[in-house]
Amino acid sequence: MLRIDGTATSIGQDLTNDELIYSVEGALRMGADAVATFGVIGVPREAQLSQKIGTVTEECERLGIPQMTEMIPRDILKHQFTDTAKREWPSDPEVIKYSARVAAELGADIVKGYYTGDPETFREVIEYCPVPYVVLGGPASNDPKVFLRFVREAMDCGARGVSVGRNVWTYKNPTAITRAICRIVHDDASAEEALKAFLS
Amino acid sequence: MLRIDGTATSIGQDLTNDELIYSVEGALRMGADAVATFGVIGVPREAQLSQKIGTVTEECERLGIPQMTEMIPRDILKHQFTDTAKREWPSDPEVIKYSARVAAELGADIVKGYYTGDPETFREVIEYCPVPYVVLGGPASNDPKVFLRFVREAMDCGARGVSVGRNVWTYKNPTAITRAICRIVHDDASAEEALKAFLS
Amino acid sequence: MLRIDGTATSIGQDLTNDELIYSVEGALRMGADAVATFGVIGVPREAQLSQKIGTVTEECERLGIPQMTEMIPRDILKHQFTDTAKREWPSDPEVIKYSARVAAELGADIVKGYYTGDPETFREVIEYCPVPYVVLGGPASNDPKVFLRFVREAMDCGARGVSVGRNVWTYKNPTAITRAICRIVHDDASAEEALKAFLS
Amino acid sequence: MLRIDGTATSIGQDLTNDELIYSVEGALRMGADAVATFGVIGVPREAQLSQKIGTVTEECERLGIPQMTEMIPRDILKHQFTDTAKREWPSDPEVIKYSARVAAELGADIVKGYYTGDPETFREVIEYCPVPYVVLGGPASNDPKVFLRFVREAMDCGARGVSVGRNVWTYKNPTAITRAICRIVHDDASAEEALKAFLS
Amino acid sequence: MLRIDGTATSIGQDLTNDELIYSVEGALRMGADAVATFGVIGVPREAQLSQKIGTVTEECERLGIPQMTEMIPRDILKHQFTDTAKREWPSDPEVIKYSARVAAELGADIVKGYYTGDPETFREVIEYCPVPYVVLGGPASNDPKVFLRFVREAMDCGARGVSVGRNVWTYKNPTAITRAICRIVHDDASAEEALKAFLS
């Protein structure tokens, strides 16, 4: 899966100024099986980001390749781009639900989004979203137990998987934590079993 | 009918920043019989929205598919995107007439627009508009009697149909209210007959 | 003749934000014999409007169809879009001359422009303009005698015709006033003869 | 030679907002042997103007037609667009040298630029510029003796020619002054001989 | 290698407004073996510059030609465009590392970047950057001994070469300093040997 936008950096001045750097056709030529895009709801560039996603959707339809769209609400934006941070959830879970819905309506085949912080509201997000939803990992949690429990909880609510970066690569042993996550996502293991896999 | 613009959300910062997310050709490829677009008269983005509609018109002509354009005046914009609200009408019915005319001149095959609030001025809107006019439902009315009377009144003035969203899907029984609306629009039933259809 | 720009409305916020809504090719496909465009000299959007006209010129050359360009100076802009108004002329007739010249240099085959208010200066406009010049009618004059005298005067100075809208359609009998104008433009009648044609 | 940009007018609000109104291909179709473009160094639109010139360069390479680029520094901009003015020179001759160099690096085949005001610094401009340099005439000088001396001086420094507009057409006898200029540029005559040609 | 952007000048108002002036295809047509582009991290135009680089990457992939991207952090921008200056290093070497990484992720085949000022942090930059890194020369150092030592140090840290302009052409004998640099880069000579080559 190739992320085809990405003009914003954490040193830059606008985390939402994230435009295409590659085309869907180019991704296909490089052998990608899917493309990933990024949007934010409730910010001044919202419309531009959404138009970008719509354009990618149309190219994906034309070329027969799926798109995963990460769509996050404004109030999570800052927290999301912190390297390590205490896990925080949006004050209003409705915005997660809304963001997922917008991504799906713009044509995303898979939505990558936040967890709401509790199973009850997150189940609603999943139900409300017409396409598969994968939970993003967000800032690095330094506690594998906490992180694996969070993965288990998200999967129990109906998430179709997780999309984890910093919570893998900031570990001294990225393979171990990856194995542990796979135990939950692919083998339906409990958080405790996964933690054992991590520690073994 | 596929809505091919839609980059604005009610969480976003500019309800009028509504650009294309799909092309007419893409809509055709997806099997759409018509496309829908959106414009606003009297706002800073007016010209951009109108240019979008003109561009779609040209593509529709080229590809042989009709366009329905929802065109609303500025003073209704906020009210329009409230989920539920007391039905309000523009202070000056002339702006409804004007909006419809502009949409038609930009090449819309069907205009989707407001009701003016009273039959006398609305008849003028219909007469002034050179293409078929369908009335938009607007914010959810919780009273089916009031809503069905409004549909009847609009049809009596020459509206060619209604375009209703929230006034259907916010009902516990969307099928019942749809059936009631169809009774008026397709079978020329009275508001009272339609209400019976809703209650049965 | 198809007007292919027109994104500005009198309810809108910038009368000069007038971009293309159709292409020259599209106009040709619709059977148009010529296209019409609009520009304003001395306003912030001047360059954009002129670039639009130049682009249309190139397409017109390529496709073999003429362009009529309405080019007006800034100080007439407001007066021009009033529905009815006492006929007003620019404080400096040079701007009319200059506007016509710019339109012609941008490639207009016919310039549609203002009358200067007096024959002496208007003759200079005509002489200075390398392509045929037609006089625009402007806001509705309610006095046919005044209007027909104005048409006669413009023609005597060398105008190749008139481009009249509101001064026809605001009449109860648009056919009569059209007939009267044609008497002057096509049959070289005097203003008095034309007025008789109007009254008969 | 066809000037293919030109959206700025002296009535307008930004003399540097000078974008393309025709394409290189269109110029070729019209039978042009070369195209002319315009840029300004040191102004907010500098980058846009330079990008325009680069784009034209690429088209010119592709189609085999040369480009002459007029490139002037900011501090001369106002003086340049005055109809008649006492001849003024930039406070720092380096900006003339720099402008010429930028035009050449953007791909101009011929640079059209200012005279620096004295032979010593102007020789450096010519030496520094890797392509032929023609001197622009600027605001009308009413004194043919002064103007012809200036042409002679520029040619002596290595200018390949002059590009004169207002200093020809504001003369009662444009042919005479043209003949005089040609005497210098093509026949290598002295300023005095050229003046005789003008007076004869 | 052809630099295909370059709309910013040191007289201009924004050193970061550096857009394409030529296409990759045009560069290939001119016989270029590679193209060079320029970006800055941490400035308002960051996203535009990055999108430009991404676009060039895709064209380079399509046409089979490599791209070298010069990517510098904001705090070095001013220093970089001074003609001669005491060699300065960024306050935080992390930004050099980060800039190189972004350039590589945008698809640069070679990164052209700053030296950090000391071998320890520079080794980290090289290790962190997934593609070859060449060190830019920056403002002219008037001391060949200092400059050659700097080249040696950078090479020792793993730089694949240097990209030097002002530190060659501001010398009275550019050939001599070029020969000296080549001694280090190609023949792995010590700074002292290179200095001898320069003096001989």
Side-chain angles (χ1 to χ4, degrees):
Chain A
M1 185 180 298
L2 185 70
R3 172 91 188 268
I4 57 172
D5 47 16
T7 60
T9 72
S10 52
I11 296 183
Q13 300 185 352
D14 183 358
L15 283 167
T16 71
N17 194 348
D18 208 61
E19 295 298 325
L20 290 183
I21 52 175
Y22 226 69
S23 70
V24 176
E25 200 175 312
L28 210 60
R29 211 158 36 214
M30 288 179 81
D33 295 317
V35 298
T37 53
F38 174 75
V40 189
I41 294 296
V43 294
R45 297 187 86 88
E46 177 192 288
Q48 274 167 270
L49 293 167
S50 293
Q51 193 168 25
K52 171 191 69 183
I53 296 164
T55 306
V56 170
T57 296
E58 184 155 359
E59 278 304 284
C60 282
E61 288 290 333
R62 198 173 63 80
L63 296 167
I65 182 176
Q67 172 183 213
M68 179 178 83
T69 297
E70 175 174 357
M71 187 67 101
I72 62 173
R74 181 184 43 184
D75 54 349
I76 277 166
L77 193 61
K78 269 192 192 160
H79 178 255
Q80 162 76 338
F81 289 100
T82 314
D83 270 348
T84 49
K86 202 177 147 296
R87 199 148 294 273
E88 267 172 38
W89 310 112
S91 50
D92 180 5
E94 280 296 305
V95 296
I96 301 289
K97 200 162 115 183
Y98 193 91
S99 300
R101 182 78 196 206
V102 170
E105 295 206 351
L106 289 170
D109 299 291
I110 302 169
V111 171
K112 172 180 174 183
Y114 249 68
Y115 186 59
T116 55
D118 74 292
E120 192 182 349
T121 54
F122 190 59
R123 264 188 205 105
E124 246 184 80
V125 172
I126 300 290
E127 189 184 353
Y128 191 77
C129 179
V131 298
Y133 191 102
V134 302
V135 179
L136 59 84
S141 147
N142 296 318
D143 186 341
K145 202 158 110 187
V146 167
F147 186 72
L148 292 168
R149 255 187 219 154
F150 149 74
V151 172
R152 183 65 264 169
E153 201 171 281
M155 293 301 290
D156 285 341
C157 294
R160 204 64 78 81
V162 289
S163 176
V164 181
R166 285 160 287 175
N167 277 289
V168 162
W169 73 57
T170 54
Y171 275 82
K172 275 175 196 158
N173 188 348
T175 312
I177 188 74
T178 306
R179 191 172 48 223
I181 294 168
C182 287
R183 288 285 291 129
I184 298 174
V185 174
H186 297 306
D187 308 339
D188 204 21
S190 69
E192 289 68 33
E193 289 168 324
L195 189 64
K196 270 186 220 155
F198 171 74
L199 296 171
S200 70
Chain B
M1 185 180 297
L2 185 70
R3 172 90 189 268
I4 58 172
D5 47 16
T7 59
T9 72
S10 51
I11 295 184
Q13 299 185 352
D14 183 357
L15 283 167
T16 72
N17 194 348
D18 207 60
E19 295 299 325
L20 290 183
I21 51 174
Y22 227 69
S23 70
V24 177
E25 202 175 312
L28 211 60
R29 213 159 32 216
M30 287 179 81
D33 294 317
V35 298
T37 53
F38 174 76
V40 189
I41 294 297
V43 294
R45 297 188 85 88
E46 178 192 289
Q48 276 168 270
L49 293 167
S50 293
Q51 194 168 25
K52 171 191 69 183
I53 295 164
T55 306
V56 169
T57 296
E58 184 155 0
E59 279 304 285
C60 282
E61 288 290 331
R62 198 173 63 81
L63 296 168
I65 181 175
Q67 172 183 212
M68 179 178 83
T69 298
E70 175 174 356
M71 187 67 101
I72 62 172
R74 181 186 42 183
D75 54 348
I76 277 167
L77 192 61
K78 268 192 192 162
H79 178 256
Q80 162 75 340
F81 290 99
T82 314
D83 270 350
T84 49
K86 204 177 146 296
R87 199 148 294 273
E88 267 172 36
W89 310 111
S91 50
D92 180 5
E94 280 297 304
V95 296
I96 300 289
K97 202 161 114 183
Y98 192 90
S99 300
R101 183 77 196 205
V102 170
E105 295 205 352
L106 289 170
D109 298 290
I110 302 169
V111 171
K112 173 181 174 181
Y114 249 68
Y115 186 59
T116 56
D118 73 291
E120 193 181 347
T121 54
F122 190 58
R123 262 188 206 106
E124 246 184 81
V125 172
I126 299 290
E127 188 184 354
Y128 191 77
C129 179
V131 297
Y133 191 102
V134 301
V135 180
L136 61 84
S141 146
N142 295 319
D143 185 341
K145 201 157 112 188
V146 167
F147 186 72
L148 293 169
R149 255 188 218 154
F150 148 74
V151 172
R152 184 66 263 172
E153 202 171 282
M155 294 300 291
D156 285 341
C157 295
R160 204 64 78 81
V162 290
S163 175
V164 182
R166 285 161 287 176
N167 277 289
V168 162
W169 72 58
T170 55
Y171 276 81
K172 276 176 196 159
N173 187 348
T175 312
I177 188 75
T178 305
R179 189 171 51 222
I181 295 168
C182 287
R183 287 285 291 130
I184 299 175
V185 174
H186 297 307
D187 308 339
D188 203 20
S190 68
E192 288 70 33
E193 288 169 324
L195 188 64
K196 270 186 219 154
F198 171 74
L199 296 171
S200 69
Chain C
M1 185 181 296
L2 185 69
R3 172 89 189 268
I4 58 172
D5 48 15
T7 59
T9 72
S10 51
I11 295 184
Q13 300 185 352
D14 183 357
L15 282 167
T16 72
N17 194 347
D18 208 60
E19 295 299 325
L20 290 183
I21 51 174
Y22 226 69
S23 70
V24 176
E25 201 174 313
L28 211 61
R29 213 159 33 216
M30 286 179 82
D33 294 317
V35 298
T37 54
F38 174 76
V40 189
I41 294 296
V43 294
R45 297 188 86 88
E46 178 192 289
Q48 276 168 271
L49 293 168
S50 292
Q51 193 167 26
K52 171 192 70 184
I53 295 164
T55 307
V56 169
T57 296
E58 185 155 359
E59 278 304 284
C60 283
E61 288 291 330
R62 198 173 63 82
L63 296 168
I65 182 175
Q67 172 183 213
M68 179 178 84
T69 298
E70 175 173 357
M71 188 67 101
I72 62 173
R74 181 185 43 182
D75 53 349
I76 277 165
L77 192 61
K78 268 193 192 162
H79 178 257
Q80 162 74 341
F81 290 99
T82 314
D83 270 349
T84 49
K86 204 178 146 295
R87 198 148 295 274
E88 266 171 39
W89 310 112
S91 49
D92 180 5
E94 280 297 305
V95 297
I96 300 290
K97 203 162 111 183
Y98 192 91
S99 299
R101 184 76 196 207
V102 170
E105 295 205 352
L106 289 170
D109 298 289
I110 302 169
V111 171
K112 172 180 174 180
Y114 249 68
Y115 186 60
T116 56
D118 75 290
E120 194 182 347
T121 54
F122 190 59
R123 262 188 206 105
E124 246 184 82
V125 172
I126 298 291
E127 190 184 353
Y128 192 77
C129 179
V131 297
Y133 191 102
V134 301
V135 181
L136 60 84
S141 146
N142 295 319
D143 186 340
K145 203 158 110 187
V146 168
F147 186 72
L148 292 169
R149 255 187 218 155
F150 148 74
V151 172
R152 183 67 261 171
E153 204 172 280
M155 294 300 291
D156 284 342
C157 294
R160 205 63 79 81
V162 289
S163 176
V164 182
R166 284 161 288 175
N167 278 287
V168 161
W169 73 57
T170 55
Y171 275 82
K172 275 175 195 158
N173 188 347
T175 312
I177 189 75
T178 305
R179 190 171 51 222
I181 295 168
C182 287
R183 287 285 293 130
I184 299 174
V185 174
H186 297 306
D187 308 339
D188 204 20
S190 68
E192 288 69 33
E193 288 169 323
L195 188 63
K196 269 187 218 153
F198 171 73
L199 296 171
S200 69
Chain D
M1 186 181 295
L2 185 70
R3 171 89 189 269
I4 58 170
D5 48 15
T7 60
T9 72
S10 51
I11 296 183
Q13 300 185 351
D14 183 358
L15 282 167
T16 71
N17 194 347
D18 208 60
E19 294 299 323
L20 290 183
I21 52 174
Y22 227 68
S23 70
V24 177
E25 200 175 314
L28 210 62
R29 212 159 33 215
M30 286 179 83
D33 294 318
V35 298
T37 53
F38 174 76
V40 190
I41 294 297
V43 293
R45 297 186 86 88
E46 179 191 287
Q48 275 168 271
L49 293 167
S50 293
Q51 192 168 25
K52 171 191 71 184
I53 295 163
T55 306
V56 169
T57 296
E58 184 155 1
E59 279 303 286
C60 282
E61 289 291 330
R62 197 173 64 81
L63 296 168
I65 182 174
Q67 171 183 212
M68 179 178 84
T69 298
E70 175 174 356
M71 187 67 101
I72 63 173
R74 180 184 44 183
D75 54 349
I76 277 165
L77 192 61
K78 269 194 192 161
H79 179 256
Q80 162 75 340
F81 290 100
T82 313
D83 270 349
T84 50
K86 203 177 147 297
R87 198 148 295 274
E88 268 173 36
W89 310 113
S91 49
D92 180 5
E94 281 297 304
V95 296
I96 301 289
K97 203 162 111 183
Y98 192 91
S99 299
R101 183 78 195 205
V102 170
E105 295 206 351
L106 289 171
D109 299 289
I110 303 168
V111 170
K112 172 180 175 182
Y114 249 68
Y115 185 60
T116 55
D118 75 290
E120 192 182 346
T121 52
F122 190 58
R123 263 189 205 104
E124 245 183 83
V125 173
I126 299 291
E127 189 184 352
Y128 192 77
C129 179
V131 298
Y133 191 102
V134 301
V135 180
L136 60 84
S141 145
N142 295 319
D143 186 341
K145 204 158 108 187
V146 168
F147 186 72
L148 292 168
R149 256 187 218 155
F150 148 75
V151 172
R152 183 65 264 171
E153 203 172 280
M155 293 301 291
D156 285 341
C157 294
R160 205 61 80 81
V162 290
S163 175
V164 182
R166 283 160 290 174
N167 278 288
V168 162
W169 73 58
T170 55
Y171 275 81
K172 276 176 194 157
N173 188 347
T175 311
I177 188 75
T178 305
R179 189 171 51 221
I181 296 168
C182 287
R183 287 285 293 129
I184 300 174
V185 174
H186 297 306
D187 308 338
D188 204 21
S190 68
E192 288 68 33
E193 288 168 323
L195 188 62
K196 271 187 219 154
F198 171 73
L199 296 170
S200 68
Chain E
M1 186 181 295
L2 185 69
R3 171 89 188 270
I4 57 171
D5 48 16
T7 59
T9 72
S10 51
I11 296 183
Q13 301 186 351
D14 183 358
L15 282 167
T16 70
N17 194 348
D18 208 61
E19 294 299 325
L20 290 182
I21 53 174
Y22 227 69
S23 70
V24 177
E25 200 175 313
L28 209 62
R29 212 158 34 214
M30 287 179 82
D33 294 317
V35 298
T37 53
F38 174 75
V40 190
I41 294 296
V43 293
R45 296 187 86 88
E46 179 192 286
Q48 275 167 270
L49 293 167
S50 293
Q51 193 169 26
K52 170 191 70 183
I53 295 163
T55 306
V56 170
T57 297
E58 184 155 1
E59 278 303 285
C60 283
E61 289 290 331
R62 198 173 63 81
L63 296 167
I65 182 175
Q67 173 183 213
M68 179 179 83
T69 297
E70 175 174 356
M71 187 67 100
I72 63 174
R74 182 185 43 184
D75 54 348
I76 277 166
L77 193 61
K78 269 193 193 161
H79 178 256
Q80 162 75 339
F81 290 99
T82 314
D83 270 349
T84 49
K86 205 178 146 297
R87 199 147 295 275
E88 267 172 37
W89 309 113
S91 49
D92 180 5
E94 281 295 306
V95 297
I96 300 290
K97 202 161 112 183
Y98 192 91
S99 299
R101 182 78 195 204
V102 170
E105 295 206 352
L106 289 171
D109 298 290
I110 302 168
V111 170
K112 172 180 174 181
Y114 250 68
Y115 185 60
T116 55
D118 75 291
E120 191 181 349
T121 53
F122 189 60
R123 262 189 206 104
E124 245 183 81
V125 172
I126 299 292
E127 188 183 354
Y128 193 77
C129 179
V131 298
Y133 191 102
V134 302
V135 179
L136 59 85
S141 145
N142 295 319
D143 186 341
K145 203 159 107 188
V146 168
F147 186 72
L148 292 168
R149 254 188 221 153
F150 149 74
V151 171
R152 184 64 265 170
E153 202 171 282
M155 293 301 291
D156 285 341
C157 294
R160 203 65 78 81
V162 289
S163 175
V164 181
R166 284 160 290 175
N167 277 290
V168 162
W169 72 58
T170 56
Y171 275 82
K172 275 176 196 155
N173 187 348
T175 312
I177 188 75
T178 306
R179 190 172 49 223
I181 295 169
C182 288
R183 288 284 293 130
I184 299 174
V185 173
H186 297 305
D187 308 339
D188 204 21
S190 69
E192 289 67 33
E193 289 168 322
L195 189 62
K196 269 186 220 154
F198 171 74
L199 296 171
S200 70

